[in-house]
Structures are given as structure tokens and as C-alpha cells.
């Protein structure tokens, strides 16, 4: 999968996508930034610190256009750091749910304090929006209307932005891969809830922050939820052989993928185990960490 880098591509009415040249196993083709509107534009997800991408965003502005608002879906390093630079150039304020700890569940907040878990992706620890958004908040300006929705799971402060019947869904839902859910920043319980709420809003099209548009959101979301349920069942079946660490589970369950991707997969396995912990289905031996062995508290009848 490859997208044209640095070129503004119209992907919906009055919405243009510009893809950053930062491909990787976790970013796919690269980070998508979006410009919304016709005169005063909203910029969603400026992206990483990248001079060429910053210039591409500014070059995409037509005569008499300016960036009046900046929105950030979440504060991973491939989404939020460029926001401050674009804000200094344009004078636009940065809008988001909050800093990188905002939106965490009580369970994940407690886990974060222990420093016992490895982080799955780079976090923008310096991120702080100028304007904090709330669930369902509507921002209207110069012919565009954006509704903000808190959609945690991939990241605690993750937001999706609805524009008419299109929803910019960040890293929550993607067509090319499943989202990484890496505790304590990611939370599988929240992820499933956010997917279900997105399905209920029934957008006609989803525009993810990596990869191409999702033209059948209902089908994709249903697949993602079922995939997570199947993965949970797979973990439980594997634990029936006895207590195991997330790493041991990963090597058995993800035996068909490149071992270089196992560290990311291990984070997903840990997220499933923590979700099962909250449901009192499994328990770690000793203090919770990514090295802990987990054991079943009960078996599911086959």
C-alpha cells in the first residue's frame, strides 16, 4: 500500500487528505492529515515533526485560504507534534480532548503509576491543546461543522471528528490493519465500546489517519469487534494449558506473522489479558507486568 506523499487529494466534499512520508509497520503508508472547508480551513492531525510535510500542508492552501483551527485525534508522535509548529505559523488554536493522560480509565491510570508496563508507541508527552473538547461538542466556522466524539481504546485521549456523514476516525478504525492497543495508553475495554458507538453513529464513510477511506464502515467495525472476540477466545483456549506470559501467548497465537511484529502483538495480548482481568476471568501471578504469568480463573465450556 502506498499513497502519494505531500499531494492534496480530495477524499470527500471539501475534505482533502495529505499523506506524510513516514511509512512503517505501525503507520502503514504514513500519517494522513486532513484539510476541511473552503476558506477558513480546519486541519486534522498535523502529523509528526517533518519539514517536508509541514511545507506540503502550507502549499496545499489555495489563494485566500488559511488554517483557522487545528484538531488532533490523539497524541502519538506520528499525529500531534507538528500541531505546535503549524499553530505558530498560522495563529490557529489546537483543539483536542486533553493531554496524553486525559481519558484514561481508573484501571489504566493505576497501571501507569506502577511503570511496570512497556509502552507500545511513542507518546507526545509535551502535547497540551489550547482548547479542550468534550464528547459531542460541536465546532462551527466558515461553512464547516465538526462534531467531536471521545473514542478511547487505541489511546486514552483519542477523538473522532464527524463532518456531515463522514467521520475522521484517527487510529480507532483502519482498513489496512487492526489498531494497536498497548496498555496503559491503550485499553481494550474502551476500544470495543468506542467501536460500538461509532457503529451506532452510522457514518457513510470513515477517513482513518492511516490508509485509504473505509467505504463500508458497518462491515469493517463488525469485523473488528468479532476479531477481538475471537482473539480473546483464542487466548483463553491457550491458557487452558497452564499459566503463561504475554510473550509466550504471543508466540503461539501469532505464529503466522513476522517475529519482528511480535513486540506490538504482545501489547495487544496484554490488553486482552487486562480486559479479562477486569472481568475476573484471568489473574496475574504476582504484581501485574508484561512479564507476569497469567492463569485462568475459570474455563469456558467448549
Amino acid at each position: 500500500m502506498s499513497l502519494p506523499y505531500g499531494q492534496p487529494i480530495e477524499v470527500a466534499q471539501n475534505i482533502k487528505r495529505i499523506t506524510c512520508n513516514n511509512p512503517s509497520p505501525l503507520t502503514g503508508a504514513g500519517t494522513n492529515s486532513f484539510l476541511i472547508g473552503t476558506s477558513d480551513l480546519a486541519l486534522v492531525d498535523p502529523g509528526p515533526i517533518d519539514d517536508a510535510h509541514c511545507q506540503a500542508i502550507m502549499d496545499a492552501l489555495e489563494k485566500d485560504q488559511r488554517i483557522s483551527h487545528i484538531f488532533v485525534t490523539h497524541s502519538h508522535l506520528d499525529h500531534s507534534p507538528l500541531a505546535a509548529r503549524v499553530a505558530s505559523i498560522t495563529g490557529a488554536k489546537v483543539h483536542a480532548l486533553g493531554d496524553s493522560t486525559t481519558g484514561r480509565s481508573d484501571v489504566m491510570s493505576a497501571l501507569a503509576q506502577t511503570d511496570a508496563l512497556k509502552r507500545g508507541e511513542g507518546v507526545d508527552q509535551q502535547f497540551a491543546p489550547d482548547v479542550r473538547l468534550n464528547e459531542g461538542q460541536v465546532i462551527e466556522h466558515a461553512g464547516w461543522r465538526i462534531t467531536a466524539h471521545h473514542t478511547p481504546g487505541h489511546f486514552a485521549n483519542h477523538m473522532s471528528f464527524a463532518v456531515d456523514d463522514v467521520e475522521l476516525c484517527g487510529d480507532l478504525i483502519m482498513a489496512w490493519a487492526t489498531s494497536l492497543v498497548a496498555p496503559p495508553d491503550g485499553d481494550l475495554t474502551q476500544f470495543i465500546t468506542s467501536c460500538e458507538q461509532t457503529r451506532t453513529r452510522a457514518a457513510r464513510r470513515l477517513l482513518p489517519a492511516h490508509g485509504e477511506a473505509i467505504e463500508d464502515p458497518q462491515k469493517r467495525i463488525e469485523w473488528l469487534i468479532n476479531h477481538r472476540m475471537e482473539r480473546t477466545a483464542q487466548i483463553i483456549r491457550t491458557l487452558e494449558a497452564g499459566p503463561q506470559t504475554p510473550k509466550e501467548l504471543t508466540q503461539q497465537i501469532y505464529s503466522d506473522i513476522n517475529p519482528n511484529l511480535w513486540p506490538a502483538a504482545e501489547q495487544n495480548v496484554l490488553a486482552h489479558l487486562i480486559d479479562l482481568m477486569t472481568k475476573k476471568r484471568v489473574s496475574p501471578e504476582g504484581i501485574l507486568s508484561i512479564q507476569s504469568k497469567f492463569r485462568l480463573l475459570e474455563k469456558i465450556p467448549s
Side-chain angles (χ1 to χ4, degrees):
M1 177 184 63
S2 63
L3 299 175
Y5 297 122
Q7 300 178 29
I9 306 296
E10 187 168 358
V11 290
Q13 186 175 5
N14 297 328
I15 301 179
K16 292 181 179 179
R17 180 188 69 207
I18 306 170
T19 303
C20 181
N21 188 2
N22 64 328
S24 77
L26 293 180
T27 62
T31 302
N32 294 330
S33 301
F34 296 93
L35 289 170
I36 301 168
T38 58
S39 57
D40 287 6
L41 307 183
L43 169 63
V44 177
D45 277 350
I49 296 297
D50 184 290
D51 292 342
H53 189 58
C54 184
Q55 189 61 51
I57 290 171
M58 301 312 300
D59 287 346
L61 303 180
E62 300 175 3
K63 185 180 179 180
D64 299 326
Q65 286 185 335
R66 72 183 185 102
I67 295 172
S68 61
H69 295 66
I70 299 169
F71 294 85
V72 173
T73 60
H74 64 292
S75 49
H76 271 146
L77 289 174
D78 57 322
H79 290 259
S80 58
L82 196 59
R85 183 184 298 183
V86 176
S88 69
I89 294 171
T90 63
K93 291 186 177 181
V94 178
H95 297 64
L97 183 77
D99 65 18
S100 293
T101 65
T102 304
R104 278 181 178 160
S105 65
D106 291 342
V107 172
M108 294 303 173
S109 293
L111 288 173
Q113 296 301 315
T114 68
D115 199 32
L117 305 177
K118 293 188 292 186
R119 303 311 196 253
E121 290 184 87
V123 175
D124 185 356
Q125 301 288 3
Q126 307 304 314
F127 180 72
D130 301 308
V131 179
R132 288 177 172 254
L133 300 173
N134 299 313
E135 161 61 32
Q137 185 172 344
V138 176
I139 303 92
E140 288 189 82
H141 184 80
W144 52 258
R145 184 176 190 269
I146 290 175
T147 304
H149 295 288
H150 184 208
T151 50
H154 171 71
F155 199 87
N157 69 356
H158 195 288
M159 300 202 90
S160 297
F161 301 109
V163 183
D164 298 323
D165 59 354
V166 173
E167 188 161 325
L168 283 68
C169 58
D171 283 7
L172 179 70
I173 301 164
M174 298 180 290
W176 69 279
T178 58
S179 297
L180 177 64
V181 180
D185 305 307
D187 184 318
L188 184 64
T189 306
Q190 290 183 331
F191 178 83
I192 296 298
T193 298
S194 293
C195 284
E196 291 172 340
Q197 291 174 344
T198 302
R199 180 169 57 180
T200 299
R201 287 194 293 274
R204 176 180 59 85
R205 176 188 289 176
L206 297 177
L207 298 177
H210 304 280
E212 297 285 1
I214 298 169
E215 303 294 348
D216 190 344
Q218 297 292 318
K219 182 178 179 180
R220 181 59 178 167
I221 294 170
E222 181 179 2
W223 184 91
L224 287 172
I225 293 174
N226 288 339
H227 171 73
R228 293 292 180 175
M229 293 174 64
E230 291 168 3
R231 188 69 76 201
T232 293
Q234 195 174 11
I235 289 170
I236 290 173
R237 289 195 300 270
T238 308
L239 283 176
E240 288 178 348
Q244 299 180 61
T245 66
K247 184 176 182 178
E248 291 168 337
L249 289 165
T250 298
Q251 292 176 357
Q252 295 175 75
I253 293 170
Y254 290 88
S255 60
D256 58 340
I257 69 171
N258 187 326
N260 291 334
L261 298 177
W262 279 351
E266 186 180 352
Q267 296 288 331
N268 271 324
V269 168
L270 179 63
H272 280 268
L273 290 166
I274 293 173
D275 180 60
L276 287 167
M277 275 180 54
T278 64
K279 296 172 180 174
K280 303 188 185 305
R281 301 298 305 281
V282 305
S283 177
E285 296 181 347
I287 298 174
L288 173 64
S289 78
I290 200 163
Q291 288 84 30
S292 298
K293 282 187 177 288
F294 288 79
R295 62 182 179 86
L296 279 178
L297 294 179
E298 62 176 274
K299 292 186 177 181
I300 297 178
S302 57

